[in-house]
Amino acid sequence: MISQLLFIVLLVAGIGFFSFNISKIRKNISLGKPLDRSDNKAQRIKTTLLVALGQKKMFQRIVPALLHLFIYVAFLFTSTELIEIIADGITGSHRFFLNKLGWIYVLLISTIEVLSVLAFISTLYFLARRNLLQVPRFKMSEMTGWPKLDGNIILYLEIVLLVCVFTMNGADEALFLQGKSHVAGSGSFGFLISSFTAPYFFNYFDVETLIVLERVGWWGHILVVFGFLNYLPYSKHFHIIMAFPNTYFSNLNNKGAFNNLSSVKEEVLKMFDPNFDPYATPSQGEAPVPDRFGAKDVEDLTWKSLMDAYTCTECGRCTSACPASQTGKLLSPRKIIMDTRDRLEEVGANKRKNGPDFKDKKSLLGDYITEEEIWACTSCNACVQECPVSIDPLSIIIDLRRYLVMEESKVPSELAGMLTNIENNGAPWQFAQADRNNWVDE
């Protein structure tokens, strides 16, 4: 009874704290500007199944994609085992579904064990890849400190989880072989991996020790799960949850198509309307003049851009594909997303502590992201194409640029000359349109 009560307290506390953190993140994302992404529902569902569930874009790099797939599928199958653990914890039973499902249960647990072995191998590879191999995208400035530690913590937790699973199954298998299991009856489960490992690792222990080991594995398993669940909102691994909504609400338009600012478009249309009266009182329903053109801080971005920030896996594929980054420019699309998330966390915490109108005299542009970074971008969309969870760093960069141009009148000198030529000559070059064909005479 004490064990059941303790489990129920941990279950309620774990789910409650996780829900509390999720509500904070939801409120932070809602700080963004409105954006309609309710179109093409069938296409969005298809994209979600292919990209988020099927991990289609991961397979542009086959080896890490396969190893990541092992961990991912093991995670999905192991999650089904949690249903039984919760049932056992609440009712005080042991292997709640064994007698109900029979050989199907043995097949399911055996599948989980095989996937767990593959996940263990993959985890060791990813640890080596992050810490021993000199992969350039894991050595960049934004990946020092907490981001590096965060990437390792989750891998360590996976190893602990797998050890707990095999300790639980192996000790249980050994108890069955001795006819001393918690479950009525005797004999062997016949789990594919544990049935071979149990005689080698667990047959040397007496019954009392095996029962303790089984309980250590069981409690260790569920404690790691509860810890992992509540660690997610503070980690880049929150993408396990966010990848699905983020992919569903991704931009389905052609990547070269930029959106127009509706406020600017309406003003341009008015200038072309001969009947427009600039002194007339605005009609009801007419869009108000925006507080700001473009984006200076996270509240000026759309909610989708803020969702992108919480979905980032920090894998660095965007940065490794970025031509500006490859040529030594300051820009890293991954850093743009990470800075957006850090600033959003700061703004959200300030508003919860000091009220919704609190301003801390800081901003995303300037305090987190520099002008040099955003002007280094070539707008090529390589980062958007490479992202395995459909994050769009370019939309943030474009909005920050719009603010600089339309609010601060700041553009690099190279662009200023080009814009002047377009205004005067109707072309980027410094000669009149009438002289365009002179090269033919030469």
Side-chain angles (χ1 to χ4, degrees):
M1 182 60 70
I2 294 176
S3 176
Q4 290 172 251
L5 290 174
L6 177 60
F7 178 84
I8 292 172
V9 169
L10 287 173
L11 179 65
V12 173
I15 295 177
F17 188 63
F18 176 74
S19 300
F20 171 71
N21 282 320
I22 291 296
S23 69
K24 290 196 301 184
I25 291 173
R26 184 188 63 79
K27 290 176 182 177
N28 287 350
I29 293 175
S30 67
L31 293 174
K33 299 294 183 183
L35 178 68
D36 185 11
R37 287 286 169 85
S38 60
D39 60 328
N40 298 323
K41 290 182 173 58
Q43 180 63 34
R44 294 189 179 281
I45 293 173
K46 179 182 177 181
T47 302
T48 303
L49 293 175
L50 287 174
V51 176
L53 184 63
Q55 303 193 23
K56 176 183 177 182
K57 296 176 75 173
M58 285 287 294
F59 281 87
Q60 295 173 15
R61 305 181 187 189
I62 189 66
V63 174
L66 282 174
L67 294 172
H68 186 274
L69 183 65
F70 293 153
I71 295 178
Y72 173 65
V73 176
F75 170 80
L76 292 180
F77 272 80
T78 305
S79 297
T80 62
E81 191 179 22
L82 290 178
I83 300 173
E84 181 181 59
I85 289 180
I86 292 173
D88 286 343
I90 293 175
T91 63
S93 60
H94 184 69
R95 297 204 177 267
F96 186 83
F97 294 112
L98 175 60
N99 293 328
K100 297 177 177 61
L101 298 179
W103 68 269
I104 297 176
Y105 179 88
V106 175
L107 177 63
L108 177 61
I109 300 300
S110 296
T111 302
I112 291 174
E113 288 195 339
V114 172
L115 290 171
S116 295
V117 171
L118 294 174
F120 181 75
I121 295 171
S122 302
T123 301
L124 294 179
Y125 170 81
F126 286 131
L127 274 172
R129 195 162 175 253
R130 281 187 169 273
N131 299 285
L132 299 178
L133 304 180
Q134 299 299 313
V135 180
R137 57 194 169 106
F138 294 138
K139 301 295 181 182
M140 301 184 71
S141 60
E142 67 265 22
M143 294 305 294
T144 58
W146 168 248
K148 181 178 180 179
L149 179 62
D150 178 34
N152 285 325
I153 285 175
I154 201 69
L155 295 173
Y156 297 142
L157 285 176
E158 286 176 6
I159 292 176
V160 173
L161 179 64
L162 294 174
V163 169
C164 289
V165 168
F166 281 107
T167 300
M168 176 181 68
N169 288 353
D172 231 353
E173 193 80 48
L175 286 167
F176 254 71
L177 290 172
Q178 300 183 36
K180 302 293 185 179
S181 174
H182 301 282
V183 185
S186 61
S188 173
F189 289 141
F191 297 153
L192 190 59
I193 304 297
S194 294
S195 60
F196 288 100
T197 58
Y200 291 101
F201 293 100
F202 295 97
N203 273 4
Y204 304 100
F205 299 106
D206 56 34
V207 172
E208 290 75 15
T209 304
L210 286 173
I211 291 174
V212 170
L213 287 173
E214 190 278 330
R215 288 292 86 190
V216 168
W218 190 91
W219 278 103
H221 183 185
I222 196 63
L223 287 174
V224 170
V225 169
F226 284 156
F228 177 71
L229 180 68
N230 285 284
Y231 174 66
L232 281 182
Y234 301 95
S235 167
K236 75 185 186 71
H237 292 85
F238 196 47
H239 73 269
I240 292 173
I241 297 173
M242 294 300 296
F244 292 90
N246 198 73
T247 304
Y248 179 84
F249 291 115
S250 59
N251 185 10
L252 300 181
N253 297 325
N254 293 330
K255 290 183 174 59
F258 290 159
N259 66 307
N260 291 319
L261 291 178
S262 57
S263 53
V264 175
K265 183 178 179 181
E266 288 176 4
E267 292 301 315
V268 173
L269 291 175
K270 290 174 183 177
M271 287 189 289
F272 281 97
D273 183 2
N275 299 318
F276 172 67
D277 182 3
Y279 301 103
T281 303
S283 59
Q284 187 175 6
E286 186 175 350
V289 178
D291 297 329
R292 180 175 288 155
F293 292 103
K296 182 181 181 183
D297 210 348
V298 289
E299 293 176 272
D300 303 319
L301 298 170
T302 67
W303 62 264
K304 178 57 173 64
S305 292
L306 302 187
M307 180 180 284
D308 282 347
Y310 277 113
T311 310
C312 181
T313 71
E314 298 178 11
C315 66
R317 293 188 178 210
C318 54
T319 296
S320 65
C322 175
S325 180
Q326 290 177 8
T327 54
K329 303 294 193 302
L330 191 60
L331 175 65
S332 168
R334 173 176 56 190
K335 179 180 177 295
I336 298 292
I337 296 295
M338 293 171 66
D339 286 343
T340 302
R341 181 183 60 211
D342 291 343
R343 174 57 182 162
L344 180 56
E345 281 285 299
E346 183 179 44
V347 169
N350 285 336
K351 289 184 178 297
R352 287 190 295 274
K353 181 179 179 180
N354 303 298
D357 298 324
F358 178 79
K359 302 292 182 183
D360 61 0
K361 298 182 180 179
K362 295 170 64 176
S363 64
L364 178 64
L365 181 60
D367 292 293
Y368 284 81
I369 300 172
T370 64
E371 296 179 21
E372 181 181 354
E373 290 176 80
I374 63 173
W375 286 118
C377 176
T378 66
S379 308
C380 69
N381 270 293
C383 56
V384 182
Q385 176 65 30
E386 286 294 313
C387 181
V389 287
S390 300
I391 293 172
D392 186 358
L394 182 57
S395 64
I396 297 176
I397 293 172
I398 294 298
D399 282 340
L400 295 175
R401 281 181 175 178
R402 281 170 168 166
Y403 170 79
L404 286 176
V405 173
M406 303 183 73
E407 294 276 351
E408 300 287 340
S409 299
K410 288 183 179 179
V411 292
S413 57
E414 298 87 348
L415 290 182
M418 182 197 70
L419 294 173
T420 300
N421 290 333
I422 290 175
E423 181 179 2
N424 295 332
N425 305 322
W429 303 280
Q430 199 169 0
F431 52 79
Q433 293 188 51
D435 298 330
R436 280 185 177 184
N437 293 327
N438 288 351
W439 66 275
V440 177
D441 299 331
E442 296 176 2

